[in-house]
Amino acid sequence: MHEINKATAELQEEMAQRIALNPGGTRRIGNFGFIELEETWGDEATIINTARISTTNQRLPSGHDFSERDRALLYQLLRDQHGTPFETIYFRFRFIAPIFVLRQWVKHRVSSWNEFSMRYRKPISVAYVPDAAARTVDGFAVLDETAVAEYEALMEQLFDWYERQYSAACSRIDQARASGKLGPKEGGRDPYRGRARELLRNVMPVAAYSDVYWTVNFRSLMNFFKLRRKQDAQYEIREYADAAFALFATRLPLLAETMQRVLDESAASAAVQESSGHA
């Protein structure tokens, strides 16, 4: 394996620290992937209280205080798509994923994204490498070991090329300053090095990893789970969606159970309708 850059080594250390500090709220995925459910705001009681705002001033302190009536209402609200109460609770995830996964993920636009920028920092110098499960379909390996070895070598060449060219660009800038061709660097971002990073990031493959904070309400999160945990979703984003669901279900088990019930019933109903249409 090629030598990773300083920023990537620091990120590796940070992931290890987060796993140690929050073992129940973190997951490693693939060869460098990571996801953490950092924060949640609100819970099942928040949903019920906002739904009942027009009918009562009594408020449930938390989801632990639910009666069977409260559970039934939570299910009914979700089943009948009363959307706005489910927009009152929020989740902030941090995930490190390949860029091609991010391109699918960002299509879930009713959320807030803050992504690592290669304009300001060097890229994460690790690429996603498909394991045996990722490159196998119904027991058949669509990429063999030789192809994967060549894939890895190509990714390493790109990262090594970036490092060489960025180092060369920085040397040219420093020499131009030393000779007086360029003025001295002032405070803030160096526009010359910044422009070099902007240009050199163009060679980064979509297999390269990026780093994202994702803040989302439950209504949008449920849609993400509905689409990205399906068996026909791409393997890599499904791994992240399954991990996100596991972290969410640990934090809010009643809501997760209710959501899964509604999704299962919806899928079963759709299957019946499709079967009737083909009859």
Side-chain angles (χ1 to χ4, degrees):
M1 182 177 178
H2 75 294
E3 183 179 352
I4 60 176
N5 62 28
K6 180 182 176 183
T8 307
E10 291 172 348
L11 187 56
Q12 264 186 336
E13 292 177 7
E14 184 178 351
M15 285 191 284
Q17 290 172 1
R18 293 308 306 165
I19 291 168
L21 290 170
N22 186 17
T26 52
R27 294 284 191 283
R28 289 300 307 267
I29 302 171
N31 60 301
F32 197 78
F34 172 83
I35 188 167
E36 178 176 11
L37 176 53
E38 287 195 348
E39 296 283 351
T40 61
W41 297 271
D43 62 6
E44 296 93 343
T46 308
I47 297 166
I48 295 300
N49 290 337
T50 54
R52 286 175 170 161
I53 193 169
S54 297
T55 61
T56 180
N57 287 322
Q58 295 181 352
R59 297 287 178 262
L60 292 166
S62 76
H64 299 295
D65 302 289
F66 268 39
S67 65
E68 286 304 314
R69 180 169 172 264
D70 299 322
R71 289 171 178 266
L73 178 58
L74 182 68
Y75 164 71
Q76 178 187 342
L77 290 168
L78 199 54
R79 179 199 64 192
D80 296 344
Q81 301 181 34
H82 293 277
T84 52
F86 297 97
E87 296 174 5
T88 59
I89 63 173
Y90 283 82
F91 306 83
R92 186 176 73 239
F93 291 89
R94 182 187 182 181
F95 55 88
I96 298 166
I99 292 171
F100 70 85
V101 170
L102 269 54
R103 286 185 174 179
Q104 298 175 61
W105 206 320
V106 77
K107 292 178 182 178
H108 297 265
R109 290 168 293 181
V110 188
S111 60
S112 176
W113 278 66
N114 290 88
E115 184 184 356
F116 162 90
S117 175
M118 286 183 274
R119 291 188 68 203
Y120 304 101
R121 299 182 67 186
K122 288 183 178 181
I124 298 170
S125 59
V126 177
Y128 166 72
V129 179
D131 60 17
R135 61 180 188 265
T136 303
V137 179
D138 297 330
F140 178 78
V142 298
L143 291 181
D144 61 18
E145 294 291 344
T146 300
V148 173
E150 292 179 1
Y151 168 107
E152 289 189 75
L154 182 59
M155 298 298 105
E156 291 178 6
Q157 287 175 26
L158 289 172
F159 290 123
D160 290 343
W161 185 87
Y162 179 102
E163 292 293 338
R164 291 198 312 273
Q165 294 302 326
Y166 185 66
S167 179
C170 291
S171 294
R172 285 193 296 274
I173 293 165
D174 292 342
Q175 290 170 9
R177 285 198 169 111
S179 67
K181 187 175 182 180
L182 293 178
K185 179 184 179 301
E186 299 179 354
R189 178 173 177 261
D190 186 332
Y192 302 100
R193 293 189 181 211
R195 184 57 180 152
R197 288 191 297 270
E198 288 172 347
L199 293 171
L200 291 174
R201 68 177 175 170
N202 295 340
V203 305
M204 286 297 100
V206 294
Y209 280 89
S210 192
D211 191 357
V212 174
Y213 278 106
W214 185 49
T215 307
V216 60
N217 67 45
F218 172 72
R219 188 178 185 182
S220 295
L221 182 63
M222 179 174 171
N223 184 57
F224 174 76
F225 289 148
K226 179 181 178 181
L227 295 176
R228 301 304 182 177
R229 297 185 70 225
K230 293 168 66 174
Q231 286 304 304
D232 60 355
Q234 184 168 332
Y235 173 86
E236 287 81 6
I237 196 168
R238 195 169 72 241
E239 280 203 303
Y240 280 89
D242 286 343
F245 176 77
L247 299 177
F248 152 72
T250 299
R251 192 74 63 96
L252 295 177
L254 175 58
L255 185 56
E257 176 187 337
T258 306
M259 182 197 76
Q260 194 61 56
R261 178 184 172 187
V262 169
L263 291 179
D264 290 345
E265 290 174 350
S266 176
S269 176
V272 169
Q273 291 178 4
E274 183 178 355
S275 176
S276 299
H278 291 161

